[in-house]
Structure formats: C-alpha cells, structure tokens
Amino acid sequence: MTASMTYENIEDHAIEGIFIYPLEENSIVVGFESMISSQIITLQIKDKAKIDDCYLDCCNTSNGALHSGTGHIVMDEDLERTVLVVNLGIIPPMETVHILVSTSSELSTLPSGGIRVSSPPVCTPRVQRTIN
C-alpha cells in the first residue's frame, strides 16, 4: 500500500519537519519519498543488523561517549517496530510537503474466504461533525 500525504507550513518562519507514521501490526516500510520545494528525500531500507553496523560506523567516540552522525534518529527498540520517524529538515515558510510512504503486510483471510484491506488510521482520520 502506498499512502500519499500533503502538509503545509503555514507559519511565517521556517520550521524543522519531523514525519511520524504509525505502522499497523505486521507491517513493514518498503519505500519513502518526500518532496519539499525542489528537494527530494528518499530512504534506503536496510535490515536491523545492517542499520546497527552503519550507525556504529557513523558515530564518533569521544571520551567513551557515542555522538550521533548526521541524519540518524535513535529511538526505543519497541518503537522502531511500530513507528516510522523521518527527519525532513527545515521546511521554509508557506511551503508544501508531499510525502509517499509504501508499506507491505500480509493480508488476513476472513472465514468467508474474502480478504480485508484497510487503511491505517493516520491516512483515514475520523471526521467529527458538529450539528448547530
């Protein structure tokens, strides 16, 4: 499934963009792309072991402490399975951000033999109606 989302920085000043996308159970991210102005950001998907090796190679040690390399976001191990977090960098004022997130998951078969496909809640927010 590929979700297409559009956001705007309606502020009169630049802001730092962090994209947070909750993942459904048993879903994995297979692709990501964002476009801000003419800048395109894509992710390179790697398995956990390769990420750990890359992270350790990209960190500098100073007095025994690890310092994060550019572009790395470190998160709790439980969250890294359920949330995609991407640092989008600085978003200029009045700029539009277009994001494509592609995920893959195994579809469950219903007792009737049918298959149920649903969109994650972040893509289909509930609209509350107010009646005056």
Side-chain angles (χ1 to χ4, degrees):
M1 177 173 74
T2 299
S4 173
M5 294 160 275
T6 303
Y7 302 94
E8 290 183 313
N9 175 7
I10 59 172
E11 302 292 331
D12 61 356
H13 58 278
I15 60 172
E16 177 151 4
I18 303 278
F19 177 73
I20 300 172
Y21 186 82
L23 298 169
E24 295 290 302
E25 187 176 336
N26 299 323
S27 289
I28 60 169
V29 176
V30 294
F32 175 90
E33 180 176 298
S34 73
M35 189 169 97
I36 304 168
S37 301
S38 61
Q39 180 184 16
I40 296 176
I41 298 170
T42 58
L43 293 183
Q44 182 179 15
I45 309 298
K46 294 184 178 184
D47 69 25
K48 174 90 169 93
K50 289 181 181 177
I51 291 172
D52 288 342
D53 291 344
C54 174
Y55 180 75
L56 290 175
D57 291 343
C58 296
C59 291
N60 299 321
T61 57
S62 172
N63 300 330
L66 288 176
H67 298 285
S68 176
T70 304
H72 286 80
I73 295 175
V74 181
M75 64 170 44
D76 179 281
E77 194 165 315
D78 290 334
L79 282 178
E80 69 187 17
R81 288 180 189 59
T82 59
V83 179
L84 170 67
V85 179
V86 180
N87 184 342
L88 300 174
I90 301 300
I91 301 171
M94 307 309 290
E95 188 62 60
T96 301
V97 179
H98 300 282
I99 295 178
L100 293 174
V101 176
S102 297
T103 57
S104 179
S105 61
E106 185 175 343
L107 299 175
S108 319
T109 304
L110 300 173
S112 65
I115 296 175
R116 176 178 293 158
V117 179
S118 60
S119 300
V122 71
C123 295
T124 55
R126 294 181 184 206
V127 177
Q128 295 183 0
R129 296 181 184 177
T130 305
I131 300 173
N132 294 332

